[in-house]
Amino acid sequence: MRLEGLHHITAITGDAPGNVEFYAGVLGLRMVKKTVNQDDPTVYHLFYADERGDPGSDITFFEYPGAARGRAGAGMVHRVVWRVSGEEALSFWEQRLHAHGTDSHRSTEGLQFSDPEGLGHELRVVETTDDPLTAEHPDIPEGMALQGFDGVRAYTSDPVASRALLEEALHFEPASQSTWEVHGERRGAFYAYDAPPARTGLQGAGSVHHVAWSSTMDEHAAWRDRVAQGGGRPTEIIDRFYFRSIYFREPSGVLFEIATMGPGFDADEPIEHLGEGLSLPPNYEQYRDKLEKTLTRLPNPRSAARA
Ligand code: ZN
């Protein structure tokens, strides 16, 4: 049993319109679902991904309007690493980000930048046989587009404390003292730790809330058992409508989720129109009129992309 790499990464935004402009408009991802927080339907849960809403390319945001900036500290993910096709793509993104007012800098392995609320990203050229998961955008040639996640980097001062859960329960393969890889039949990703900054972290706008790994539908319950046997204290299986989920904290403090690679974002709207309308869980459908009036006005993501 192997996890199929990353499923999605969920972060927090205090500025939903600006979030749409950046992730759909600048980064060129497709908004694949516009729905509400299942615990608070007055605020959005926004999902961006490749053209088909595939696991492995999906970054999602809880909206907390006007939320103060967070900052990553020990026990938090501080960088999302994406794949791109090659050096030419790194140059393309350096220029495109600059043209949209976002500074970036070349690292030894790729190109680093932050979103407008401070969430760290890196683009990397990666040798892999995994399918590139790309979205369509009028100003971004297909060969330059983001190709889905390569991994995430988190902060901890004690990577060893997480080793048993990562290796024994989750079957992550060690790649170094502080880096692990996980690869299923279709897709893989890495999970790495860096030494934390001195200041404690703060959950807020621009911080990562949790990281979800992909499971097949058939193996999902077995993963829950493995996590429980490994001391990970998983939640019950929760039906998120587009996928099923369990949650648990790994020893460093990072909140993990294991989510199923289905039913998928076309469970309640056709794939051609993903994210265009407001999708509501069935129990909130009766409040649609009210919610549509009170939810933050958002730019149309595909016109944001054409602006
Ligand atoms: Zn999640």
Side-chain angles (χ1 to χ4, degrees), residues 6-307:
L6 284 160
H7 187 286
H8 64 270
I9 295 164
T10 294
I12 293 169
T13 179
D15 172 20
N19 188 260
V20 175
E21 300 280 2
F22 188 76
Y23 286 90
V26 178
L27 292 190
L29 301 174
R30 180 177 186 192
M31 182 186 274
V32 293
K33 194 62 63 183
K34 181 166 63 175
T35 184
V36 293
N37 188 323
Q38 289 191 9
D39 300 318
D40 178 1
T42 66
V43 293
Y44 284 119
H45 190 181
L46 303 174
F47 295 71
Y48 309 89
D50 70 346
E51 207 56 29
R52 296 171 305 177
D54 286 312
S57 64
D58 177 16
I59 186 160
T60 96
F61 290 86
F62 293 135
E63 179 202 21
Y64 293 106
R69 281 278 185 101
R71 61 167 185 260
M76 293 168 74
V77 167
H78 68 90
R79 195 182 304 157
V80 177
V81 182
W82 302 82
R83 295 173 183 163
V84 292
S85 61
E87 278 298 317
E88 200 189 332
L90 294 179
S91 304
F92 172 87
W93 282 104
E94 201 168 15
Q95 287 169 29
R96 179 169 174 80
L97 289 165
H98 181 72
H100 288 82
T102 299
D103 290 333
S104 64
H105 67 274
R106 290 288 186 119
S107 57
T108 43
E109 291 175 303
L111 183 73
Q112 291 181 17
F113 58 95
S114 297
D115 87 354
E117 295 178 292
L119 176 58
H121 291 279
E122 182 171 11
L123 309 183
R124 269 198 213 169
V125 180
V126 176
E127 295 264 340
T128 178
T129 53
D130 295 356
D131 284 342
L133 304 178
T134 57
E136 292 164 16
H137 184 292
D139 302 330
I140 303 172
E142 196 187 341
M144 301 294 117
L146 305 192
Q147 299 185 334
F149 300 129
D150 194 45
V152 289
R153 307 191 71 87
Y155 284 134
T156 187
S157 51
D158 189 8
V160 175
S162 296
R163 183 184 288 161
L165 183 80
L166 299 182
E167 294 181 11
E168 288 159 29
L170 300 181
H171 291 161
F172 282 25
E173 304 273 353
S176 76
Q177 288 294 332
S178 57
T179 305
W180 285 263
E181 288 171 359
V182 57
H183 210 290
E185 279 176 24
R186 285 195 251 174
R187 209 162 177 81
F190 76 83
Y191 184 59
Y193 293 116
D194 297 303
R199 293 201 302 175
T200 45
L202 210 56
Q203 193 92 90
S207 70
V208 171
H209 187 269
H210 65 266
V211 176
W213 304 92
S214 290
S215 157
T216 60
M217 198 66 104
D218 290 347
E219 292 173 344
H220 195 237
W223 281 114
R224 187 182 179 285
D225 293 342
R226 289 199 63 85
V227 170
Q229 283 155 18
R233 306 175 64 168
T235 61
E236 293 302 313
I237 293 173
I238 298 170
D239 187 357
R240 294 299 188 197
F241 201 67
Y242 310 112
F243 43 83
R244 288 182 207 156
S245 299
I246 59 165
Y247 303 83
F248 55 98
R249 273 189 205 279
E250 58 94 346
S252 81
V254 174
L255 184 60
F256 270 14
E257 172 181 352
I258 296 179
T260 56
M261 297 187 295
F265 293 114
D266 57 354
D268 62 350
E269 56 187 355
I271 195 123
E272 311 83 67
H273 296 290
L274 292 181
E276 291 173 13
L278 177 66
S279 294
L280 291 174
N283 53 325
Y284 291 134
E285 197 55 59
Q286 53 180 318
Y287 305 118
R288 175 177 287 276
D289 287 351
K290 200 170 168 204
L291 290 170
E292 284 188 334
K293 284 194 197 82
T294 54
L295 282 161
T296 311
R297 289 250 169 272
L298 292 184
N300 178 313
R302 289 260 139 142
S303 6
R306 281 162 183 81

